Amino acid sequence: MNKIYFAYVDEDMGGTYISAPNLREAKKLALTVECIYEYMDSYIDLKCHCVRDDDGKIKKTSLPTKVLTVEEILQERCHWWDCDKCGQSEYFEYAGTGEDGFTDYCKCPECGEVFYIPYAGL
């Protein structure tokens, strides 16, 4: 069973979620992600930590060792936002990619609101 890690070089630039057995593997995978390797020259350190649930326990997953997709982030409930309409924050469903081919959308199962996923740094 893998743990879920969040890796970043600067909070304002965003980061990535990773499923890995340990911190070393998580950092190796993080260095393959564009929002990490593009900024490594500008920053001193790659930061990486385990994601914790509301009870403070480390989140674990049955996903293989990999960088998580948006769908997997939502599946594992690692989102970082609340619904703008009703305030629900428990979980969201993936609602696809926009016409631009880049913008990801999610749907609040409580009120049905569909909105873009608010990425850090954008």
Side-chain angles (χ1 to χ4, degrees):
M1 175 125 337
N2 282 330
K3 298 174 192 165
I4 299 177
Y5 292 87
F6 182 70
Y8 63 99
V9 290
D10 182 89
E11 291 176 357
D12 293 334
M13 298 297 176
T16 191
Y17 287 91
I18 296 166
S19 170
N22 55 52
L23 183 61
R24 181 180 168 182
E25 289 298 314
K27 283 187 169 186
K28 276 198 322 192
L29 273 174
L31 291 171
T32 68
V33 177
E34 186 176 8
C35 73
I36 304 290
Y37 71 73
E38 278 194 356
Y39 297 100
M40 281 304 292
D41 291 342
S42 304
Y43 295 90
I44 295 170
D45 194 20
L46 168 64
K47 297 152 190 85
C48 191
H49 59 80
C50 286
V51 175
R52 297 183 180 271
D53 64 19
D54 292 338
D55 296 327
K57 294 180 182 171
I58 293 172
K59 282 193 173 222
K60 295 188 177 184
T61 182
S62 58
L63 291 171
T65 301
K66 62 182 286 199
V67 175
L68 301 185
T69 65
V70 173
E71 294 96 327
E72 290 165 336
I73 291 168
L74 293 175
Q75 170 190 322
E76 296 296 330
R77 298 185 180 192
C78 293
H79 56 275
W80 52 91
W81 65 87
D82 299 337
C83 176
D84 292 334
K85 187 174 182 182
C86 72
Q88 185 274 134
S89 63
E90 187 65 29
Y91 71 99
F92 295 92
E93 300 166 358
Y94 186 66
T97 304
E99 292 178 12
D100 62 5
F102 297 103
T103 306
D104 291 303
Y105 288 85
C106 65
K107 178 181 178 183
C108 175
E110 190 123 336
C111 70
E113 181 77 4
V114 175
F115 55 94
Y116 78 93
I117 295 175
Y119 292 104
L122 299 178

